[in-house]
Every structure is written in C-alpha cells, then in structure tokens.
Amino acid sequence: MLGGIDISALGILLAVVTGFGSYILGRRMRAKRAQKRHEKNQAAARAGETRQVRRARERREQGK
C-alpha cells in the first residue's frame, strides 16, 4: 500500500491504457494542426507570387 491507497493490477493496466490512448490522440491532433499550418503557409506564399512564378509552378505541378 502507498499511503493507504491500494493500487491493483487492474488500476495500473487502466492507467497505462488511458495514458497510451491520450498519447495517440495527442499525436493525431498535433499532426492535424501541423497540416493546417502548412496549408496556411502555402496559401500565403502563393498569394505573393507573381503571375510568371505562379504559371511556372502550375506547369511543374501538371508535369508530376
């Protein structure tokens, strides 16, 4: 016992599973935020392009 609290094997297993689930959820949410930030930065970069640069980029993208 730790300070009068009985920690059972089931309680430890539940804590481990909950912690792992929280870790996975956090990673997914962080990846989603990073993707949105990347798209926002791409849109901002494209907004400042000249027509010549935009057309060159579009030709490169079509060639892929």
Side-chain angles (χ1 to χ4, degrees):
M1 287 197 201
L2 293 172
I5 300 173
D6 184 23
I7 301 177
S8 67
L10 183 59
I12 292 172
L13 178 65
L14 183 61
V16 169
V17 170
T18 304
F20 184 70
S22 177
Y23 170 76
I24 296 297
L25 182 63
R27 282 182 55 99
R28 285 187 178 177
M29 291 175 69
R30 191 174 122 241
K32 191 180 290 188
R33 277 195 313 268
Q35 178 68 24
K36 285 183 181 179
R37 187 180 317 119
H38 178 71
E39 290 171 0
K40 183 178 176 182
N41 290 342
Q42 288 284 50
R46 288 180 179 175
E49 289 179 345
T50 63
R51 181 172 34 180
Q52 182 180 6
V53 171
R54 180 175 38 96
R55 287 183 178 170
R57 178 183 46 79
E58 288 171 352
R59 282 193 300 271
R60 280 193 315 269
E61 288 174 355
Q62 285 179 355
K64 289 184 178 179

